[in-house]
Amino acid sequence: MNMSTSNNIAQARKLVEQLRIEAGFERIKVSKAAADLMSYCEQHARSDPLLVGVPTSENPFKDKKPCIIL
Amino acid sequence: MACQGLQKGETLASLKKESESLKKKLEEERGKLNDEHGVTLPCTWVMACAYAPSGCAVACGGLDNKCSVVPLSLDRNENLAAKKKPVAMHTNYVSGCSFTNSDMQLLTSSGDGTCALWDVESGQLLQSFHGHTADVLSLDLAPSETGNTFVSGGCDMKANVWDMRSGQNIQSFESHESDINCVNCVFYPDPFVGSPQCRFYDLRADREVAVYQKDSIIFGASSVDFSLSGRLLFAGYNDYTINVWDVLKGNRVSILFGHENRISRVRVSPDGTALCSASWDNSLRIWA
């Protein structure tokens, strides 16, 4: 056997090994995964300032004083 | 005479002296307010930067093929550049970097097709991750509760999930039509997003579960980040806009206009109250 075929075999072997690992992965159903995603978002929604907003008094980016026309 | 009369005891010379000393004082006081530190890298592009978890150091890297760590200091007079220490050495540009859960370990992704884990103190390579067949453009760590994994995305149109300790590629996703520019891991159960069309993969189901796209969006997205709860996805595009998507419903909630060139990166602040976007128009904008 010459070098290139033995290299190809080594590469192919590696690929099969990798694919075996990936195939053996324990998967869950999308319906369960989606339900988990939704409940996670629900749980954390209250603490997400970009979802619930920040009270004006605590918002450092809101203008504090009214505009004055000089 | 055009000027007001001098008051008692003042002369032109003493007024001049006072104005000089006041000017100096003003500059001094202004100098104290400037809390930016610039550290120059000996290369044209810095492509990656990251804060250490303690906030005491910063890692940065790019076309110099290295990722260096700079300890931060509040002392304005300290020469930060001199304390810069190269930690990671790749054979091509460094596209992304991130500290792991401590200041002591640094994870990097590179145009040489590999990712690597380094010990910051010694600069030693702890683990390397081989598997991508082209440049790796982005990486993101899984939240610590889910174990020691991270995800990387690359020009080979693949997003790979790796075990940090063994170097093993655990999962791989390949349903992309072009390069994966940015990967982002938000939470258990670990969905992440690749772009230009933003795709959402659930790692436990081991498949894509959503795609965020619109016919009117024809430009690629360069960067994504999630809001704190994971409900909103912010994506910066090459058409100078940022689209905000509802992660669960799949529809676009809002568009942010303002930049005058393509968006290079978007990032939500750690407390979740604001979004920062960086652009080729030389500006950083904060949206709150």
Side-chain angles (χ1 to χ4, degrees):
Chain A
M1 261 204 306
N2 62 11
M3 267 305 278
S4 69
T5 41
S6 64
N7 273 348
N8 287 343
I9 291 179
Q11 260 182 342
R13 199 167 277 153
K14 250 190 136 187
L15 186 59
V16 169
E17 232 179 80
Q18 178 64 28
L19 288 171
R20 276 207 187 117
I21 293 175
E22 291 183 24
F25 188 83
E26 272 198 39
R27 291 174 193 81
I28 65 171
K29 283 207 151 58
V30 172
S31 50
K32 168 102 180 36
D36 284 346
L37 282 173
M38 280 167 38
S39 76
Y40 183 96
C41 282
E42 210 82 8
Q43 267 174 36
H44 291 79
R46 258 162 290 130
S47 48
D48 187 344
L50 291 172
L51 272 184
V52 294
V54 178
T56 331
S57 48
E58 288 176 29
N59 190 345
F61 297 105
K62 261 289 193 301
D63 298 320
K64 294 274 155 65
K65 304 196 196 102
C67 297
I68 310 170
I69 301 178
L70 294 164
Chain B
M1 275 262 261
C3 55
Q4 268 183 329
L6 292 169
Q7 284 174 328
K8 229 180 176 183
E10 283 176 342
T11 63
L12 196 55
S14 76
L15 281 178
K16 255 197 158 165
K17 222 175 163 208
E18 213 189 322
S19 83
E20 286 297 293
S21 78
L22 281 175
K23 270 193 199 160
K24 261 209 172 135
K25 194 143 195 265
L26 188 56
E27 247 184 62
E28 236 183 74
E29 290 298 316
R30 278 192 181 141
K32 286 190 195 155
L33 292 176
N34 185 2
D35 48 12
E36 301 161 9
H37 290 262
V39 181
T40 24
L41 278 193
C43 70
T44 46
W45 267 19
V46 179
M47 300 174 88
C49 59
Y51 252 111
S54 67
C56 296
V58 164
C60 48
L63 287 186
D64 59 349
N65 295 2
K66 293 192 273 213
C67 193
S68 309
V69 175
V70 185
L72 295 179
S73 151
L74 284 175
D75 184 356
R76 281 279 301 155
N77 298 323
E78 226 183 308
N79 183 2
L80 289 181
K83 294 198 155 185
K84 181 168 59 99
K85 192 169 81 133
V87 168
M89 311 276 192
H90 278 279
T91 53
N92 208 329
Y93 64 88
V94 170
S95 55
C97 65
S98 176
F99 281 88
T100 59
N101 297 324
S102 79
D103 280 18
M104 291 289 96
Q105 290 186 351
L106 185 67
L107 199 53
T108 55
S109 61
S110 167
D112 66 11
T114 68
C115 296
L117 182 66
W118 310 84
D119 177 278
V120 172
E121 192 60 46
S122 62
Q124 197 192 6
L125 172 67
L126 297 171
Q127 185 64 258
S128 68
F129 305 89
H130 296 265
H132 277 287
T133 51
D135 302 17
V136 185
L137 294 179
S138 168
L139 66 83
D140 196 25
L141 276 149
S144 45
E145 310 88 57
T146 51
N148 293 312
T149 59
F150 73 96
V151 63
S152 65
C155 290
D156 55 358
M157 303 192 253
K158 278 194 166 162
N160 290 337
V161 181
W162 309 86
D163 178 315
M164 267 199 286
R165 279 175 293 211
S166 66
Q168 179 67 45
N169 176 1
I170 330 175
Q171 278 175 284
S172 186
F173 299 95
E174 199 174 357
S175 65
H176 268 260
E177 289 140 20
S178 58
D179 304 353
I180 298 184
N181 290 333
C182 179
V183 290
N184 200 301
C185 205
V186 71
F187 50 68
Y188 180 87
D190 284 345
F192 66 91
V193 182
S195 52
Q197 278 150 338
C198 298
R199 288 166 201 263
F200 196 59
Y201 297 88
D202 185 296
L203 291 185
R204 292 186 318 157
D206 195 32
R207 51 163 295 144
E208 176 187 289
V209 292
V211 184
Y212 307 100
Q213 61 184 353
K214 250 182 141 64
D215 288 337
S216 54
I217 298 177
I218 52 174
F219 285 86
S222 58
S223 169
V224 294
D225 200 15
F226 290 95
S227 71
L228 256 197
S229 66
R231 183 65 193 267
L232 298 173
L233 178 70
F234 298 92
Y237 291 77
N238 291 341
D239 64 0
Y240 316 172
T241 67
I242 300 168
N243 285 316
V244 187
W245 301 90
D246 181 315
V247 170
L248 298 179
K249 293 198 186 147
N251 59 330
R252 181 171 60 189
V253 169
S254 171
I255 317 178
L256 303 175
F257 294 100
H259 275 291
E260 291 151 19
N261 206 323
R262 59 165 108 158
I263 314 286
S264 53
R265 234 323 94 128
V266 294
R267 210 62 200 268
V268 172
S269 65
D271 64 0
T273 54
L275 172 76
C276 183
S277 55
S279 162
W280 285 41
D281 66 6
N282 298 345
S283 74
L284 286 164
R285 281 168 211 247
I286 301 191
W287 311 78

